[in-house]
Amino acid sequence: MVVREFWLHRIEQAWQSHSVIWLMGVRRAGKTTLARSIPNVRYFDCELPSVRRMLDDPESFLDKYSGTNLVLDEVHRLDNPSEVLKIAADHYPRTRILATGSSTLGASAKFRDTLAGRKTEIWLTPMNSLDLGGADGNWERRMLHGGLPGFYMADEIPEHEFQEWMDAYWAKDIQELFRLERRQSFQRFTELLMTQSGGIFEATNLAQPCGVSRTTISNYLSVLAATFVAHIIQPFSSNPAREIIAAPKVYGFDTGFVCYHRGWDRLRRTDFGVLWEHIVLNEIHSRAPAARVQYWRDKQKHEIDFIIAPKRAEGPIAIECKWAQGDFDPGNLTIFRRLYPKGANYVVSHDARTPYSRKYGPNEVQFIGLDGLIRVLAKPARVRAAPARKA
């Protein structure tokens, strides 16, 4: 079993500010298991008709369980889920509710109120490094099997479960929340997105193989983003003459699905780099969700993996993701810093157990691990001011 103490702590913290929490994330990310592991909680599965009947009268239900910690799992199965949560937030502040769903609140017409100011949102991502520390800490396994707990814990790569997941995602999330048509086209688009994960997104290039229009492709991407199956990373730019400013990069939500759709059942040394980039992005999403992640690329295809937009007078933070420290080449960073001379530079690698810095011309680069990156994003000023060991 994967122990997810990090997320339990985050839920408890969130309940200190709002009585209603919206726990969102992809199917089988572990929302139900996490919710049921909360101490002293009453659990209700909204997939059950008996539970839905109880919640047809929200006031009677909330009167009965006033002052209790409640879980309303799969709350989007209710006819009007936002009504229940709004009544609870406004009239039952001593009743703490954790509601779960597979999309952002308000992504579909079923949610008639986004509960702005009434709830805290928590995005349960695939397993991060803290979750992995609670299991066996095997990064190669995490990459091949993916970060959905059940998939990660499987003895063998769960190939049949990847397709079963896609079928359930279509039937239980897409059809119930968005009611799209043309299943084959949508699933083909999702598969292509996984095989091209981490690349520049061009809707026109995907329209023909999926047999739909460019507009439909853009709509499909919006649905994948709303349900956390795709992550859209916008370009960072202030120099349109030299930089690509329109096309985003799109990442699939999980390395296991990327490997499955690329046909990888074992990893070569060259595969670790692109998968580590996905791991770093997942770590930022899970542990520093407020960070605005972008990327940079110029017309000569020089690229920086991730850029964190500057705060106030600070320059942009440049992040390069390298499986091993020795894989770093400073060429792209040198070109980026000619345009943006202010800002900190980081190389995030799995083997940077002791942070250190190194100079490349006028640019100082700090080599850090995942924990170091999160400290940077949480308290950038303090981390940059701290002395670093010179290589």
Side-chain angles (χ1 to χ4, degrees):
M1 179 179 177
V2 177
V3 179
R4 308 190 85 174
E5 292 291 341
F6 168 80
W7 299 99
L8 289 171
H9 179 65
R10 177 171 285 184
I11 289 170
E12 189 58 41
Q13 281 188 315
W15 263 336
Q16 304 307 312
S17 58
H18 290 96
S19 61
V20 174
I21 297 174
W22 178 246
L23 181 66
M24 51 197 180
V26 299
R27 176 164 303 281
R28 298 189 65 180
K31 299 186 295 296
T32 298
T33 301
L34 178 65
R36 300 192 80 153
S37 69
I38 300 171
N40 304 314
V41 73
R42 293 294 300 268
Y43 174 85
F44 296 93
D45 184 353
C46 296
E47 284 192 312
L48 299 176
S50 59
V51 172
R52 293 199 295 270
R53 285 194 296 270
M54 291 170 60
L55 287 161
D56 281 342
D57 186 350
E59 291 180 63
S60 295
F61 176 84
L62 293 167
D63 280 338
K64 181 177 181 180
Y65 296 103
S66 179
T68 305
N69 294 343
L70 304 176
V71 170
L72 301 181
D73 201 7
E74 301 285 333
V75 73
H76 59 271
R77 302 301 169 88
L78 303 180
D79 290 335
N80 190 358
S82 51
E83 179 187 42
V84 176
L85 302 180
K86 183 176 180 180
I87 291 173
D90 290 348
H91 302 288
Y92 297 85
R94 292 179 56 251
T95 303
R96 305 199 302 184
I97 293 181
L98 180 76
T100 79
S102 298
S103 70
T104 53
L105 191 63
S108 76
K110 226 177 182 186
F111 291 91
R112 301 162 199 172
D113 192 314
T114 61
L115 306 178
R118 293 183 173 92
K119 52 84 174 65
T120 299
E121 294 186 344
I122 296 178
W123 171 12
L124 181 62
T125 67
M127 294 166 60
N128 62 26
S129 61
L130 299 179
D131 299 324
L132 201 64
D136 62 14
N138 187 325
W139 280 115
E140 183 170 357
R141 182 191 188 93
R142 166 64 177 84
M143 290 175 176
L144 269 175
H145 288 228
L148 304 186
F151 289 45
Y152 175 79
M153 296 299 293
D155 292 334
E156 303 291 338
I157 297 174
E159 293 189 27
H160 67 284
E161 296 206 34
F162 287 113
Q163 188 55 52
E164 286 181 1
W165 187 98
M166 288 296 301
D167 293 339
Y169 172 61
W170 171 263
K172 294 188 175 182
D173 295 330
I174 301 305
Q175 287 301 286
E176 291 192 12
L177 287 170
F178 302 96
R179 302 192 182 281
L180 296 181
E181 299 178 354
R182 305 192 68 169
R183 169 178 175 167
Q184 186 174 357
S185 295
F186 180 79
Q187 291 196 333
R188 175 61 175 157
F189 170 69
T190 306
E191 292 166 3
L192 289 173
L193 203 66
M194 293 297 172
T195 61
Q196 301 174 19
S197 183
I200 303 295
F201 179 78
E202 294 289 352
T204 302
N205 295 340
L206 294 169
Q208 183 175 358
C210 295
V212 295
S213 68
R214 186 183 187 282
T215 301
T216 299
I217 289 293
S218 298
N219 183 45
Y220 285 172
L221 180 61
S222 297
V223 169
L224 291 179
T227 52
F228 307 102
V229 173
H231 308 314
I232 303 171
I233 308 299
Q234 298 292 345
F236 173 85
S237 172
S238 65
N239 190 340
R242 291 194 58 184
E243 298 164 296
I244 295 174
I245 60 171
K249 290 173 69 175
V250 176
Y251 288 80
F253 77 101
D254 183 63
T255 55
F257 283 79
V258 171
C259 291
Y260 170 71
H261 287 292
R262 292 184 178 186
W264 296 351
D265 58 4
R266 60 176 52 88
L267 298 180
R268 301 160 298 178
R269 177 63 176 80
T270 53
D271 300 330
F272 282 91
V274 65
L275 295 175
W276 181 248
E277 196 172 319
H278 288 70
I279 295 289
V280 173
L281 182 61
N282 184 75
E283 197 78 9
I284 296 172
H285 284 157
S286 66
R287 297 178 63 189
R292 183 187 176 197
V293 183
Q294 298 175 278
Y295 80 99
W296 175 83
R297 180 172 177 168
D298 68 10
K299 292 181 179 178
Q300 288 70 47
K301 299 185 179 180
H302 302 112
E303 187 171 316
I304 302 295
D305 293 332
F306 300 128
I307 300 292
I308 305 297
K311 295 181 178 180
R312 298 182 294 276
E314 300 173 357
I317 296 174
I319 299 171
E320 286 281 73
C321 308
K322 300 299 176 185
W323 172 246
Q325 304 165 58
D327 295 340
F328 175 64
D329 182 327
N332 290 346
L333 181 65
T334 299
I335 294 170
F336 175 73
R337 286 303 177 196
R338 288 173 188 163
L339 294 173
Y340 304 98
K342 294 179 62 176
N345 309 304
Y346 298 96
V347 173
V348 183
S349 66
H350 91 286
D351 59 352
R353 294 175 178 84
T354 302
Y356 68 93
S357 65
R358 183 174 177 180
K359 293 277 284 189
Y360 296 90
N363 303 309
E364 182 175 5
V365 178
Q366 297 187 47
F367 291 77
I368 57 178
L370 291 173
D371 282 343
L373 174 64
I374 300 307
R375 287 193 292 271
V376 165
L377 299 182
K379 297 180 180 178
R382 178 180 300 177
V383 172
R384 285 197 295 275
R389 177 175 64 83
K390 296 293 182 180

